[in-house]
Amino acid sequence: MKPHKFSQWGLIGLAAAFLLVMLVLPLVLVASEALAKGWQAYLAALDEPFARKALYLTLEATVAAVLGNTVFGLASAWLLTKYDFRGKAFWSSLLDLPFAISPVVAGLLFVILFGRMSPLYPFLRAEHIAIIFAVPGIILATVFVTFPFITRELVPVMEAQGRSEEEAAATMGASGWTIFRRVTLPNIKWALLYGVILCTARALGEFGAVSVVSGHIRGKTNTLPLHIEILYNEYNFTAAFAVASILVILAVIILILRNLVEWRAKRGLRNGN
C-alpha cells in the first residue's frame, strides 16, 4: 500500500521534532553551557585534578568491563549455541538479569555481598582487600550492568551459523582453539565488535550501580558521571557541563564506530564475507 504523502511527511516531521527535542537541543545546551565562560574556563575544568582522576577511573572500569565481558560473552554464547544441556533456558534467561533489575539494586547487592554486614567482611578485612568504596567495587558494578551486551549480540549470529562447520573441522582433527580462530571468529567478528561497542557505551555512562558502591570519595572513587553530579550539586554548572562534554564526545565517537561497524557488516553480507 502506497503511503499518503501527508501522512508520510507528518511522520517524518514528528520524528524530526522528537530528535530535535530529545537529542539535538540537549547537545547544544551542553556545548553552550560548557563554553559559557570561555575556552580558558572550559580547559581549566577538564584539567582539574579531580576531573582527570574521574576520567582515568572511568576508562579503567570501562576497559576492565569490556575485556572481562568479551571473554565471558564469547564463552557464554559458545555454550548456549554449540551445546545442549539441562538448564539451558534458565541460563539464557539469567543473562538478562541486569536488564530486569535497577542498577541501584545491583549496587546494593554488591554492598550486601562485600560490605560490613557480609559474612565475607572479616576475611576481606583481615586480608586488607577493599571492594566496596574502592576501585574493585566500581569495576564489579560496571561488569555486572554490561555483561549481557556481547552475549546477546553473538547468540543470534552463532545460532544462524549452526554447528556444521565446527563439527567438520573437529572431525578433521582441528583443535578447539584452531576451530574458534579459523572457523567461528571470522563469522562472528562484526557481531563481536558491535557488542564491544555497545558494552563500552554502557560502561562509560553507568551511574546507578557505581554510585552505590563508590562511596563518592572525591579523587578516589568518583567516575565521570559521579563527578558531574557533584559539580552540578555544588552549582558549578560550567565545570559540570564541561566535564559532561567529555562523555558527549565519547558518545559521538562510539555512535560513529557503531554505524561504521553496521555498514561494514552489511557490506560483508552482500559480498558474502
Side-chain angles (χ1 to χ4, degrees):
M1 183 178 65
K2 187 176 181 180
H4 193 277
K5 182 173 291 188
F6 178 78
S7 301
Q8 181 180 6
W9 284 107
L11 291 174
I12 293 174
L14 181 63
F18 180 83
L19 290 176
L20 177 66
V21 174
M22 301 300 296
L23 182 62
V24 177
L25 290 181
L27 292 179
V28 172
L29 177 64
V30 170
S32 62
E33 290 292 333
L35 298 173
K37 296 182 180 179
W39 281 100
Q40 187 174 359
Y42 175 80
L43 295 176
L46 298 184
D47 195 46
E48 194 262 336
F50 291 148
R52 283 189 278 110
K53 176 61 180 178
L55 175 60
Y56 297 151
L57 181 56
T58 300
L59 295 178
E60 179 183 356
T62 299
V63 170
V66 170
L67 291 177
N69 285 327
T70 298
V71 176
F72 173 82
L74 284 168
S76 182
W78 186 287
L79 178 66
L80 289 172
T81 58
K82 307 301 179 182
Y83 297 97
D84 295 315
F85 56 92
R86 183 176 298 178
K88 182 176 179 178
F90 174 75
W91 174 252
S92 180
S93 300
L94 196 62
L95 290 174
D96 292 328
L97 185 62
F99 293 148
I101 66 174
S102 167
V104 174
V105 175
L108 289 174
L109 291 177
F110 282 112
V111 172
I112 294 173
L113 184 60
F114 298 111
R116 290 181 176 271
M117 303 301 294
S118 169
L120 298 175
Y121 183 73
F123 169 78
L124 296 175
R125 184 176 182 181
E127 297 297 326
H128 304 286
I129 300 174
I131 296 179
I132 302 302
F133 307 149
V135 174
I138 293 173
I139 293 176
L140 282 176
T142 306
V143 168
F144 178 82
V145 299
T146 57
F147 79 76
F149 287 96
I150 294 178
T151 302
R152 286 307 174 202
E153 291 299 322
L154 290 176
V155 166
V157 176
M158 295 177 73
E159 285 180 342
Q161 176 189 353
R163 310 177 186 178
S164 57
E165 294 183 17
E166 284 90 352
E167 291 172 351
T171 58
M172 296 175 66
S175 64
W177 171 245
T178 301
I179 292 173
F180 173 76
R181 183 171 55 89
R182 301 292 295 273
V183 179
T184 305
L185 187 58
N187 292 325
I188 66 171
K189 57 184 178 181
W190 296 115
L192 176 61
L193 185 56
Y194 191 79
V196 167
I197 291 173
L198 292 180
C199 181
T200 302
R202 181 70 177 85
L204 286 172
E206 171 52 30
F207 180 85
V210 170
S211 177
V212 175
V213 302
S214 71
H216 291 266
I217 304 174
R218 202 164 189 173
K220 292 185 177 180
T221 62
N222 272 346
T223 58
L224 277 181
L226 301 182
H227 184 59
I228 293 168
E229 181 196 29
I230 289 177
L231 292 174
Y232 192 84
N233 290 337
E234 292 176 347
Y235 301 100
N236 192 354
F237 300 127
T238 300
F241 281 102
V243 177
S245 69
I246 300 177
L247 292 178
V248 172
I249 293 171
L250 292 174
V252 172
I253 293 173
I254 291 172
L255 181 62
I256 294 172
L257 291 175
R258 191 199 70 172
N259 290 333
L260 288 175
V261 169
E262 286 183 344
W263 172 79
R264 185 62 182 85
K266 292 177 180 178
R267 182 182 178 185
L269 288 174
R270 287 196 300 267
N271 296 335
N273 296 327

